[in-house]
């Protein structure tokens, strides 16, 4: 037997470097400890670098400490980010305010562009701009809204709804006559959302310069949709057609602009609001869809009075009736263009316009009085709610 086959001395143990999870598991949830009464003084948390070197100690504000609202200042939210928002104050101009953990429950939801909010001062120094918690102000309360436009949030367990804009007077939907093509279903959803919130609906048709014969070249889908809305303004940023009429419609009002990506919404806002300088992009050739250039909602002062709220281009919008999702029977009764004077005329009150006898909607489709495109749009929205 060879002498080196067995080794009397054991090999030295190798040092295992702690993982990120090991460090994280040792940290104390100081907020929870403080609320339970275990920690009496203001908690302290450690901040590690990515390699867990050079930890920094930082005092955390007492989450139970409240700010007296009489010491707060009211402001207008002009832009919203993930953990902070830009708020315009009467004297100091635009400042950055954080969402304080202690007020998240009182807020109910995060502020939206157009909200009036109360800000409290949490730091004596000016904003350093280096991460959440370094700001001078925090949002204490969101004041009651007179109106809002919502869309579904992430498909998580909370099914949260996101507010696109608050305290608005009208919804301005921008659609292009071509490139990308008119999306019937998308427009119907926005029209329904505006109707549910009792907001006037203004349809703006862009890129009119691409039609050689002007409005006479509009396709049947666009003409059909124009027949059920109150205001339609065809415009062309290149030629200037319709811009003056649109300016008159926006003057003195708070208007939220929305639309699908690539319809020219940002280009239109740049033409209407000097200094907006929104990024613009071209339509993709491979699928005819627009590129997202607006990534967050922003509020701009409209020349002469009023506000223009530019929202990100989205490809879909959900519908909600109060706190609950709107059911199929309600949708069947209020769908735009189905009934003259909004008078329900089907034989049965729970008719969903599918196979029910005595359905006046299907009869109107068969006779040609109601377009098949409008009925198909209704079916897509109805099915998407299941």
């Amino acid at each position: 037997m060879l002498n080196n086959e067995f080794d009397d001395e054991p090999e030295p143990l190798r040092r295992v470097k702690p993982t990120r999870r090991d460090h994280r598991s040792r940290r104390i949830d100081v907020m929870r400890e403080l609320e339970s009464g275990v920690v009496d003084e203001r908690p302290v948390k450690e901040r590690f670098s990515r390699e867990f070197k050079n930890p920094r100690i930082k005092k955390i504000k007492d989450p139970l400490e409240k700010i007296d609202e009489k010491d707060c200042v009211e402001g207008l939210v002009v832009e919203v980010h993930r953990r902070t928002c830009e708020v315009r104050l009467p004297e100091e101009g635009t400042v950055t305010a954080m969402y304080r953990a202690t007020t998240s429950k009182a807020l109910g939801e995060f502020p939206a562009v157009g909200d009036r909010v109360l800000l409290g001062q949490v730091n004596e120094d000016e904003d350093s701009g280096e991460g959440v918690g370094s700001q001078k102000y925090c949002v204490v309360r969101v004041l009651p809204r007179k109106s809002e436009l919502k869309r579904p949030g992430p498909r998580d367990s909370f099914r949260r709804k996101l507010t696109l804009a608050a305290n608005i007077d009208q919804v301005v939907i921008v659609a292009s006559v071509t490139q990308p093509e008119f999306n019937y279903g998308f427009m119907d959803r926005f029209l329904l959302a505006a109707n549910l919130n009792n907001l006037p609906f203004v349809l703006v048709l862009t890129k009119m310069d691409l039609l050689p014969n002007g409005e006479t070249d509009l396709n049947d889908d666009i003409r059909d949709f124009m027949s059920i809305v109150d205001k339609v303004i065809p415009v062309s940023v290149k030629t200037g057609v319709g811009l003056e009429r649109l300016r008159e419609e926006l003057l003195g009002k708070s208007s939220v602009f929305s639309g699908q990506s690539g319809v020219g919404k940002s280009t239109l806002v740049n033409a209407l609001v000097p200094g907006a300088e929104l990024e613009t992009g071209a339509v993709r050739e491979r699928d005819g869809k627009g590129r997202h250039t607006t990534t967050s909602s922003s509020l701009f002062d409209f020349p002469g009075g009023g506000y223009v709220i530019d929202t990100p281009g989205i490809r879909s919008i959900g519908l909600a009736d109060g706190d609950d999702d709107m059911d199929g029977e309600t949708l069947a009764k209020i769908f735009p263009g189905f009934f003259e004077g909004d008078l329900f005329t089907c034989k049965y009150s729970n008719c969903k316009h599918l196979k029910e006898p005595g359905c006046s909607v299907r009869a109107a489709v068969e006779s040609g009085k109601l377009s098949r495109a409008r009925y198909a749009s209704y079916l897509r929205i109805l099915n998407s709610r299941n």
Side-chain angles (χ1 to χ4, degrees):
M1 182 177 296
L2 298 177
N3 294 333
N4 61 353
E5 187 171 349
F6 296 99
D7 192 356
D8 295 335
E9 297 182 2
E11 294 184 4
L13 296 177
R14 291 182 298 173
R15 182 180 178 182
V16 180
K17 185 178 180 180
T19 63
R20 190 180 186 90
R21 180 173 297 179
D22 293 331
H23 281 285
R24 188 163 54 240
S25 63
R26 288 198 295 267
R27 298 178 188 172
I28 300 176
D29 186 349
V30 291
M31 296 295 185
R32 187 176 302 172
E33 293 292 332
L34 186 64
E35 291 177 355
S36 64
V38 177
V39 181
D40 295 328
E41 298 180 355
R42 288 189 176 180
V44 173
K45 73 174 181 180
E46 293 179 319
R47 280 189 171 182
F48 292 88
S49 65
R50 192 172 184 84
E51 295 79 18
F52 299 101
K53 298 178 181 178
N54 304 322
R56 292 185 297 169
I57 307 301
K58 181 181 179 181
K59 290 275 187 178
I60 300 180
K61 283 278 188 179
D62 183 348
L64 302 181
E65 181 181 77
K66 295 184 179 180
I67 300 175
D68 195 337
E69 289 193 6
K70 69 180 182 180
D71 298 327
C72 294
V73 59
E74 183 177 335
L76 173 66
V77 179
V78 298
E79 193 169 342
V80 173
H81 306 292
R82 182 180 178 87
R83 299 287 303 279
T84 61
C85 60
E86 305 297 319
V87 182
R88 183 187 300 166
L89 299 180
E91 297 181 359
E92 296 193 31
T94 302
V95 300
T96 301
M98 62 180 174
Y99 309 138
R100 198 158 178 247
T102 57
T103 58
S104 60
K105 292 183 180 179
L107 292 177
E109 65 174 305
F110 292 132
V113 172
D115 266 324
R116 307 295 302 188
V117 296
L118 291 182
L119 298 188
Q121 186 171 329
V122 290
N123 294 320
E124 296 294 336
D125 301 329
E126 294 297 327
D127 294 355
S128 63
E130 297 177 357
V132 176
S134 62
Q135 284 76 29
K136 181 178 179 180
Y137 294 99
C138 72
V139 178
V140 175
R141 186 159 64 93
V142 175
L143 298 180
R145 296 166 174 166
K146 68 176 184 180
S147 61
E148 60 187 1
L149 184 65
K150 288 190 173 185
R151 64 166 296 186
R155 291 182 176 272
D156 54 19
S157 58
F158 300 101
R159 300 293 297 176
R160 295 166 295 179
K161 296 178 178 65
L162 303 179
T163 302
L164 290 174
N167 299 320
I168 53 181
D169 297 316
Q170 61 185 0
V171 179
V172 180
I173 303 303
V174 183
S176 59
V177 295
T178 184
Q179 299 180 13
E181 297 298 328
F182 188 83
N183 189 318
Y184 214 123
F186 177 87
M187 304 304 294
D188 273 334
R189 287 175 179 267
F190 256 111
L191 180 56
L192 273 167
N195 290 344
L196 287 172
N197 290 280
N198 297 317
L199 293 170
F201 183 94
V202 180
L203 173 62
V204 177
L205 297 174
T206 61
K207 305 183 182 181
M208 290 297 296
D209 54 283
L210 298 180
L211 301 182
N213 301 314
E215 295 186 33
T216 58
D217 287 343
L218 294 175
N219 62 41
D220 293 337
D221 286 351
I222 297 178
R223 290 181 179 279
D224 181 63
F225 193 84
M226 290 171 61
S227 66
I228 63 172
V229 298
D230 296 327
K231 296 180 181 179
V232 181
I233 305 178
V235 301
S236 170
V237 176
K238 286 187 176 181
T239 64
V241 171
L243 291 182
E244 190 59 35
R245 181 186 169 193
L246 181 57
R247 289 190 181 97
E248 295 175 358
E249 190 63 39
L250 301 176
L251 187 62
K253 301 175 183 177
S254 179
S255 307
V256 57
F257 272 63
S258 197
Q260 289 188 292
S261 304
V263 297
K265 176 170 57 68
S266 296
T267 302
L268 183 61
V269 173
N270 287 339
L272 296 170
V273 182
E277 298 180 355
L278 297 178
E279 183 181 354
T280 60
V283 177
R284 293 194 298 259
E285 294 184 359
R286 60 183 176 84
D287 57 6
K289 294 182 179 180
R291 298 178 175 89
H292 287 287
T293 55
T294 304
T295 57
S296 62
S297 299
S298 302
L299 182 145
F300 302 98
D301 290 316
F302 187 72
Y307 302 113
V308 169
I309 301 176
D310 180 47
T311 61
I314 55 178
R315 294 196 175 97
S316 64
I317 182 172
L319 301 173
D321 184 9
D323 296 329
D324 302 321
D325 288 340
M326 184 171 56
D327 57 32
E329 290 184 15
T330 303
L331 178 66
K333 288 182 173 64
I334 69 172
F335 197 77
F338 273 8
F339 306 103
E340 294 184 6
D342 297 329
L343 181 63
F344 190 79
T345 56
C346 291
K347 182 176 181 180
Y348 298 103
S349 61
N350 61 348
C351 180
K352 293 185 179 179
H353 320 312
L354 299 176
K355 297 181 180 179
E356 300 86 348
C359 176
S360 60
V361 172
R362 287 190 293 111
V365 174
E366 294 297 329
S367 65
K369 186 177 179 180
L370 183 67
S371 70
R372 294 188 178 275
R374 170 145 300 279
Y375 182 66
S377 176
Y378 161 76
L379 293 178
R380 284 194 298 269
I381 297 176
L382 179 66
N383 293 331
S384 69
R385 309 198 62 75
N386 298 327

